[in-house]
Amino acid sequence: MAFSGLHVVCGYPGSLFARDKSQAILGKIAWSEAPTSGVTSTNVAPTESAGSGQAMFRIRAAADSWVSVGPTPDATTGKRFLVPAATDYDVYAEPGDKFQWVEA
């Protein structure tokens, strides 16, 4: 089945051990979701736990998309950024942040 829409994974960057020697890749996963366009995610960015650091969202869209991240995200008229199609896009999230997207 072909990928459509947008998918977001929330997790922590890098290793939980020897963080100063690890690569900045997605490590511990907290949740993932594929919200419908214009609908705010049901999950929120978690707080730091057990030295995990700041959570991040990894976003992948099937088409160019406007994305908004925050406590009350609005991808149509609020603060937003463009995520190009077929590209992994990482952004740090504050605890409690949610996610919303609309196709560009």
Side-chain angles (χ1 to χ4, degrees):
M1 178 196 291
F3 173 65
S4 64
L6 183 140
H7 188 264
V8 61
V9 174
C10 181
Y12 298 96
S15 169
L16 292 180
F17 306 101
R19 291 186 68 79
D20 61 323
K21 296 174 180 60
S22 66
Q23 296 294 317
I25 60 172
L26 191 59
K28 179 181 174 187
I29 304 297
W31 53 264
S32 70
E33 190 173 342
T36 304
S37 177
V39 175
T40 301
S41 64
T42 56
N43 291 295
V44 300
T47 59
E48 188 270 346
S49 67
S52 55
Q54 186 175 1
M56 61 182 271
F57 292 143
R58 172 160 290 163
I59 306 156
R60 187 165 191 91
D64 291 350
S65 301
W66 290 109
V67 172
S68 180
V69 171
T72 55
D74 183 346
T76 303
T77 60
K79 289 188 237 177
R80 63 187 187 167
F81 54 92
L82 186 65
V83 173
T87 303
D88 285 338
Y89 195 95
D90 295 337
V91 61
Y92 282 103
E94 296 294 324
D97 277 355
K98 294 183 178 186
F99 177 90
Q100 189 184 92
W101 72 280
V102 294
E103 194 167 320

